[in-house]
Amino acid sequence: LGGSMGTAGSTRALIGGLMALAAAEEAMAGRLMADAAALRYGCLRDRLLAVVREDRRHARLLLEAARQRQGESPPRSGGFPGTHGARPGPPFLRLQEDREAKLALAARYRALGHEAEVAGDGEAAALCRGLAAEETRHAQVLLDLLAATDPYHN
């Protein structure tokens, strides 16, 4: 993902943004792992675990993009603190919170993608746009899971 870059300051800011999003993806993966354990049905749990795998892939892509831009190795994926234990509240409420967090993450990707575009890094901008779309899709998966676990609907 080496593209033409703007100023050194914009490069540092972009690297920082990529690293922050990698940390957010790792934290989200830990949070969803804990929430998957609380789901009653294996088919629902499997859908959530697929999102966890994609979040971890996102973190790896972001770390690789940051590494290419700074010329050295950033921390390995998995070195970020995350919520790995059980969270309080019923699974339905936690899935609602997860969906809101996914939508917020998509917005962060769109913002960083815009910054990358302004800095002249089209490849990072395209990566961020793609990951924003995936996070929006993840939010839809969580909405589907919410419908399946709604205590007032079943």
Side-chain angles (χ1 to χ4, degrees), residues 24-25 28-29 31-32 48 51-52 54-56 58 95-110 131-132 134-140 142:
E25 288 282 10
M28 179 61 74
R31 172 179 173 155
L32 294 176
L48 198 52
V51 171
V52 168
E54 290 180 14
D55 284 346
R56 290 197 169 130
H58 294 173
L95 288 173
Q96 283 180 316
E97 292 169 349
D98 294 338
R99 181 173 181 272
E100 291 170 12
K102 284 288 190 181
L103 292 171
L105 193 53
R108 288 177 64 190
Y109 276 119
R110 285 190 296 275
L131 293 177
E134 287 193 32
E135 291 304 323
T136 301
R137 186 180 54 76
H138 289 172
Q140 183 59 48
L142 288 165

Short mmCIF file of all heavy atoms in Angstrom, two decimals, residues 24-25 28-29 31-32 48 51-52 54-56 58 95-110 131-132 134-140 142:
data_model
loop_
_atom_site.label_atom_id
_atom_site.label_comp_id
_atom_site.label_asym_id
_atom_site.label_seq_id
_atom_site.Cartn_x
_atom_site.Cartn_y
_atom_site.Cartn_z
N ALA A 24 -8.70 -0.36 17.79
CA ALA A 24 -10.16 -0.42 17.93
C ALA A 24 -10.70 -1.73 17.38
O ALA A 24 -11.63 -2.32 17.96
CB ALA A 24 -10.80 0.77 17.20
N GLU A 25 -10.14 -2.21 16.28
CA GLU A 25 -10.57 -3.50 15.71
C GLU A 25 -10.25 -4.65 16.66
O GLU A 25 -11.05 -5.56 16.85
CB GLU A 25 -9.91 -3.74 14.35
CG GLU A 25 -10.44 -2.88 13.24
CD GLU A 25 -11.78 -3.32 12.68
OE1 GLU A 25 -12.45 -4.21 13.25
OE2 GLU A 25 -12.18 -2.75 11.65
N MET A 28 -12.65 -4.50 19.52
CA MET A 28 -13.97 -4.95 19.08
C MET A 28 -14.00 -6.47 18.96
O MET A 28 -14.98 -7.11 19.35
CB MET A 28 -14.33 -4.29 17.74
CG MET A 28 -15.67 -4.71 17.18
SD MET A 28 -17.11 -4.33 18.22
CE MET A 28 -17.23 -2.58 17.98
N ALA A 29 -12.93 -7.05 18.43
CA ALA A 29 -12.87 -8.51 18.31
C ALA A 29 -12.98 -9.17 19.69
O ALA A 29 -13.72 -10.14 19.86
CB ALA A 29 -11.58 -8.94 17.61
N ARG A 31 -14.34 -7.90 22.39
CA ARG A 31 -15.69 -7.62 22.89
C ARG A 31 -16.71 -8.58 22.27
O ARG A 31 -17.57 -9.14 22.95
CB ARG A 31 -16.00 -6.17 22.54
CG ARG A 31 -17.37 -5.67 22.78
CD ARG A 31 -17.40 -4.20 22.36
NE ARG A 31 -18.74 -3.67 22.41
CZ ARG A 31 -19.03 -2.41 22.56
NH1 ARG A 31 -18.07 -1.52 22.67
NH2 ARG A 31 -20.27 -2.00 22.59
N LEU A 32 -16.61 -8.78 20.94
CA LEU A 32 -17.54 -9.67 20.26
C LEU A 32 -17.31 -11.13 20.64
O LEU A 32 -18.26 -11.92 20.69
CB LEU A 32 -17.44 -9.50 18.74
CG LEU A 32 -17.89 -8.14 18.20
CD1 LEU A 32 -17.65 -8.08 16.69
CD2 LEU A 32 -19.35 -7.86 18.53
N LEU A 48 -21.45 -14.40 14.58
CA LEU A 48 -20.70 -13.39 15.32
C LEU A 48 -19.20 -13.70 15.29
O LEU A 48 -18.37 -12.79 15.14
CB LEU A 48 -21.22 -13.29 16.76
CG LEU A 48 -20.85 -12.04 17.53
CD1 LEU A 48 -21.20 -10.77 16.77
CD2 LEU A 48 -21.54 -12.04 18.89
N VAL A 51 -17.60 -12.45 12.19
CA VAL A 51 -17.30 -11.01 12.28
C VAL A 51 -16.00 -10.80 13.06
O VAL A 51 -15.17 -9.96 12.68
CB VAL A 51 -18.48 -10.24 12.92
CG1 VAL A 51 -18.10 -8.79 13.20
CG2 VAL A 51 -19.71 -10.30 12.01
N VAL A 52 -15.80 -11.58 14.12
CA VAL A 52 -14.56 -11.49 14.90
C VAL A 52 -13.35 -11.77 14.01
O VAL A 52 -12.36 -11.02 14.03
CB VAL A 52 -14.58 -12.46 16.10
CG1 VAL A 52 -13.21 -12.59 16.74
CG2 VAL A 52 -15.62 -12.03 17.13
N GLU A 54 -13.12 -11.39 10.80
CA GLU A 54 -12.94 -10.28 9.88
C GLU A 54 -12.34 -9.06 10.59
O GLU A 54 -11.49 -8.37 10.02
CB GLU A 54 -14.26 -9.92 9.21
CG GLU A 54 -14.71 -10.98 8.23
CD GLU A 54 -16.02 -10.66 7.55
OE1 GLU A 54 -16.49 -9.51 7.61
OE2 GLU A 54 -16.59 -11.58 6.93
N ASP A 55 -12.74 -8.81 11.82
CA ASP A 55 -12.17 -7.69 12.58
C ASP A 55 -10.67 -7.90 12.79
O ASP A 55 -9.88 -6.96 12.69
CB ASP A 55 -12.87 -7.52 13.93
CG ASP A 55 -14.23 -6.86 13.81
OD1 ASP A 55 -14.54 -6.31 12.74
OD2 ASP A 55 -14.99 -6.91 14.79
N ARG A 56 -10.28 -9.13 13.07
CA ARG A 56 -8.85 -9.41 13.27
C ARG A 56 -8.09 -9.24 11.95
O ARG A 56 -6.95 -8.77 11.95
CB ARG A 56 -8.67 -10.79 13.86
CG ARG A 56 -9.17 -10.81 15.30
CD ARG A 56 -8.66 -11.99 16.08
NE ARG A 56 -8.97 -11.78 17.48
CZ ARG A 56 -9.56 -12.67 18.25
NH1 ARG A 56 -9.91 -13.84 17.78
NH2 ARG A 56 -9.81 -12.38 19.51
N HIS A 58 -8.98 -7.11 9.65
CA HIS A 58 -8.90 -5.65 9.49
C HIS A 58 -7.69 -5.11 10.26
O HIS A 58 -6.95 -4.27 9.74
CB HIS A 58 -10.16 -4.97 10.02
CG HIS A 58 -11.40 -5.28 9.25
ND1 HIS A 58 -12.64 -4.86 9.67
CD2 HIS A 58 -11.60 -5.97 8.11
CE1 HIS A 58 -13.55 -5.28 8.81
NE2 HIS A 58 -12.95 -5.96 7.85
N LEU A 95 -25.52 -6.66 22.13
CA LEU A 95 -25.51 -6.62 20.67
C LEU A 95 -25.92 -5.24 20.15
O LEU A 95 -25.38 -4.77 19.14
CB LEU A 95 -26.43 -7.70 20.09
CG LEU A 95 -25.92 -9.14 20.23
CD1 LEU A 95 -27.00 -10.12 19.78
CD2 LEU A 95 -24.64 -9.36 19.45
N GLN A 96 -26.84 -4.59 20.84
CA GLN A 96 -27.21 -3.22 20.45
C GLN A 96 -26.00 -2.29 20.58
O GLN A 96 -25.73 -1.48 19.69
CB GLN A 96 -28.35 -2.69 21.32
CG GLN A 96 -29.70 -3.24 20.94
CD GLN A 96 -30.79 -2.67 21.84
OE1 GLN A 96 -30.63 -2.57 23.05
NE2 GLN A 96 -31.91 -2.30 21.24
N GLU A 97 -25.29 -2.41 21.69
CA GLU A 97 -24.10 -1.59 21.91
C GLU A 97 -23.03 -1.89 20.86
O GLU A 97 -22.37 -0.98 20.35
CB GLU A 97 -23.54 -1.82 23.31
CG GLU A 97 -24.44 -1.32 24.41
CD GLU A 97 -24.01 -1.78 25.80
OE1 GLU A 97 -23.12 -2.66 25.90
OE2 GLU A 97 -24.56 -1.26 26.78
N ASP A 98 -22.87 -3.18 20.52
CA ASP A 98 -21.89 -3.58 19.51
C ASP A 98 -22.24 -2.97 18.16
O ASP A 98 -21.37 -2.50 17.43
CB ASP A 98 -21.83 -5.10 19.38
CG ASP A 98 -21.29 -5.78 20.64
OD1 ASP A 98 -20.59 -5.13 21.43
OD2 ASP A 98 -21.58 -6.98 20.81
N ARG A 99 -23.52 -2.98 17.81
CA ARG A 99 -23.95 -2.43 16.53
C ARG A 99 -23.64 -0.92 16.47
O ARG A 99 -23.13 -0.42 15.47
CB ARG A 99 -25.44 -2.66 16.31
CG ARG A 99 -25.92 -2.11 14.98
CD ARG A 99 -27.36 -2.50 14.68
NE ARG A 99 -27.72 -1.95 13.39
CZ ARG A 99 -28.22 -0.72 13.19
NH1 ARG A 99 -28.41 0.09 14.23
NH2 ARG A 99 -28.51 -0.29 11.99
N GLU A 100 -23.93 -0.22 17.55
CA GLU A 100 -23.62 1.22 17.60
C GLU A 100 -22.11 1.45 17.48
O GLU A 100 -21.68 2.38 16.79
CB GLU A 100 -24.16 1.83 18.88
CG GLU A 100 -25.68 1.89 18.92
CD GLU A 100 -26.23 2.28 20.28
OE1 GLU A 100 -25.45 2.73 21.14
OE2 GLU A 100 -27.45 2.13 20.47
N ALA A 101 -21.33 0.60 18.11
CA ALA A 101 -19.87 0.74 18.03
C ALA A 101 -19.38 0.47 16.61
O ALA A 101 -18.44 1.13 16.14
CB ALA A 101 -19.21 -0.23 19.02
N LYS A 102 -20.00 -0.48 15.92
CA LYS A 102 -19.62 -0.77 14.53
C LYS A 102 -19.92 0.43 13.63
O LYS A 102 -19.12 0.77 12.76
CB LYS A 102 -20.38 -2.00 14.01
CG LYS A 102 -19.84 -3.31 14.53
CD LYS A 102 -18.52 -3.59 13.90
CE LYS A 102 -18.02 -4.98 14.17
NZ LYS A 102 -16.70 -5.18 13.55
N LEU A 103 -21.07 1.06 13.82
CA LEU A 103 -21.42 2.23 13.01
C LEU A 103 -20.46 3.39 13.29
O LEU A 103 -20.05 4.11 12.37
CB LEU A 103 -22.87 2.64 13.27
CG LEU A 103 -23.92 1.64 12.75
CD1 LEU A 103 -25.31 2.03 13.23
CD2 LEU A 103 -23.87 1.53 11.23
N ALA A 104 -20.06 3.54 14.55
CA ALA A 104 -19.09 4.59 14.90
C ALA A 104 -17.73 4.28 14.27
O ALA A 104 -17.04 5.19 13.80
CB ALA A 104 -18.97 4.71 16.42
N LEU A 105 -17.35 3.01 14.25
CA LEU A 105 -16.08 2.61 13.64
C LEU A 105 -16.11 2.89 12.14
O LEU A 105 -15.12 3.38 11.57
CB LEU A 105 -15.82 1.13 13.93
CG LEU A 105 -14.43 0.59 13.64
CD1 LEU A 105 -13.34 1.40 14.32
CD2 LEU A 105 -14.36 -0.87 14.08
N ALA A 106 -17.24 2.62 11.49
CA ALA A 106 -17.37 2.92 10.06
C ALA A 106 -17.17 4.42 9.81
O ALA A 106 -16.50 4.81 8.85
CB ALA A 106 -18.73 2.45 9.54
N ALA A 107 -17.73 5.24 10.69
CA ALA A 107 -17.57 6.70 10.54
C ALA A 107 -16.10 7.09 10.72
O ALA A 107 -15.60 7.98 10.00
CB ALA A 107 -18.45 7.42 11.56
N ARG A 108 -15.40 6.46 11.64
CA ARG A 108 -13.97 6.75 11.84
C ARG A 108 -13.17 6.38 10.59
O ARG A 108 -12.24 7.09 10.20
CB ARG A 108 -13.43 6.00 13.06
CG ARG A 108 -13.93 6.57 14.38
CD ARG A 108 -13.45 5.78 15.57
NE ARG A 108 -11.98 5.83 15.69
CZ ARG A 108 -11.30 5.06 16.53
NH1 ARG A 108 -11.93 4.18 17.32
NH2 ARG A 108 -9.99 5.15 16.61
N TYR A 109 -13.53 5.25 9.97
CA TYR A 109 -12.86 4.85 8.73
C TYR A 109 -13.10 5.87 7.62
O TYR A 109 -12.18 6.22 6.88
CB TYR A 109 -13.34 3.47 8.26
CG TYR A 109 -12.62 2.32 8.90
CD1 TYR A 109 -13.31 1.40 9.67
CD2 TYR A 109 -11.26 2.14 8.72
CE1 TYR A 109 -12.66 0.33 10.25
CE2 TYR A 109 -10.59 1.08 9.31
CZ TYR A 109 -11.29 0.17 10.07
OH TYR A 109 -10.64 -0.88 10.65
N ARG A 110 -14.34 6.33 7.51
CA ARG A 110 -14.64 7.32 6.46
C ARG A 110 -13.84 8.61 6.70
O ARG A 110 -13.30 9.19 5.75
CB ARG A 110 -16.15 7.61 6.41
CG ARG A 110 -16.93 6.48 5.74
CD ARG A 110 -18.37 6.84 5.47
NE ARG A 110 -19.13 7.10 6.69
CZ ARG A 110 -19.73 6.17 7.42
NH1 ARG A 110 -19.67 4.90 7.06
NH2 ARG A 110 -20.40 6.49 8.50
N LEU A 131 -12.93 -0.76 4.32
CA LEU A 131 -13.17 -1.21 5.69
C LEU A 131 -14.42 -0.54 6.27
O LEU A 131 -15.14 -1.16 7.06
CB LEU A 131 -11.94 -0.97 6.56
CG LEU A 131 -10.72 -1.83 6.18
CD1 LEU A 131 -9.51 -1.46 7.05
CD2 LEU A 131 -11.02 -3.31 6.27
N ALA A 132 -14.69 0.70 5.88
CA ALA A 132 -15.93 1.36 6.32
C ALA A 132 -17.13 0.58 5.81
O ALA A 132 -18.11 0.36 6.55
CB ALA A 132 -15.99 2.80 5.82
N GLU A 134 -17.21 -2.62 5.10
CA GLU A 134 -17.29 -3.88 5.84
C GLU A 134 -17.88 -3.65 7.24
O GLU A 134 -18.67 -4.47 7.72
CB GLU A 134 -15.92 -4.55 5.92
CG GLU A 134 -15.51 -5.15 4.59
CD GLU A 134 -14.33 -6.08 4.69
OE1 GLU A 134 -14.17 -6.75 5.74
OE2 GLU A 134 -13.57 -6.16 3.72
N GLU A 135 -17.51 -2.56 7.88
CA GLU A 135 -18.07 -2.29 9.21
C GLU A 135 -19.56 -2.00 9.12
O GLU A 135 -20.33 -2.41 10.00
CB GLU A 135 -17.33 -1.13 9.88
CG GLU A 135 -15.90 -1.44 10.27
CD GLU A 135 -15.76 -2.66 11.16
OE1 GLU A 135 -16.61 -2.89 12.04
OE2 GLU A 135 -14.77 -3.40 10.98
N THR A 136 -19.99 -1.34 8.07
CA THR A 136 -21.42 -1.10 7.87
C THR A 136 -22.14 -2.43 7.67
O THR A 136 -23.24 -2.65 8.21
CB THR A 136 -21.64 -0.16 6.67
OG1 THR A 136 -20.95 1.07 6.94
CG2 THR A 136 -23.11 0.13 6.44
N ARG A 137 -21.52 -3.34 6.92
CA ARG A 137 -22.10 -4.69 6.74
C ARG A 137 -22.13 -5.43 8.07
O ARG A 137 -23.11 -6.11 8.38
CB ARG A 137 -21.29 -5.47 5.70
CG ARG A 137 -21.92 -6.83 5.35
CD ARG A 137 -21.11 -7.58 4.32
NE ARG A 137 -19.71 -7.76 4.67
CZ ARG A 137 -19.26 -8.63 5.57
NH1 ARG A 137 -20.10 -9.41 6.23
NH2 ARG A 137 -17.97 -8.73 5.82
N HIS A 138 -21.08 -5.30 8.87
CA HIS A 138 -21.08 -5.93 10.20
C HIS A 138 -22.23 -5.40 11.05
O HIS A 138 -22.85 -6.17 11.79
CB HIS A 138 -19.76 -5.67 10.93
CG HIS A 138 -18.60 -6.41 10.37
ND1 HIS A 138 -17.32 -6.17 10.80
CD2 HIS A 138 -18.49 -7.36 9.42
CE1 HIS A 138 -16.48 -6.95 10.15
NE2 HIS A 138 -17.17 -7.68 9.30
N ALA A 139 -22.49 -4.11 10.96
CA ALA A 139 -23.62 -3.53 11.71
C ALA A 139 -24.93 -4.17 11.28
O ALA A 139 -25.81 -4.42 12.11
CB ALA A 139 -23.66 -2.01 11.53
N GLN A 140 -25.07 -4.48 9.99
CA GLN A 140 -26.27 -5.16 9.49
C GLN A 140 -26.35 -6.59 10.03
O GLN A 140 -27.43 -7.06 10.41
CB GLN A 140 -26.31 -5.16 7.96
CG GLN A 140 -27.57 -5.79 7.40
CD GLN A 140 -28.84 -5.08 7.86
OE1 GLN A 140 -28.93 -3.86 7.79
NE2 GLN A 140 -29.83 -5.83 8.32
N LEU A 142 -25.18 -7.57 12.86
CA LEU A 142 -25.59 -7.41 14.26
C LEU A 142 -27.07 -7.08 14.36
O LEU A 142 -27.74 -7.56 15.28
CB LEU A 142 -24.73 -6.35 14.95
CG LEU A 142 -23.29 -6.82 15.21
CD1 LEU A 142 -22.39 -5.65 15.54
CD2 LEU A 142 -23.25 -7.85 16.31
#
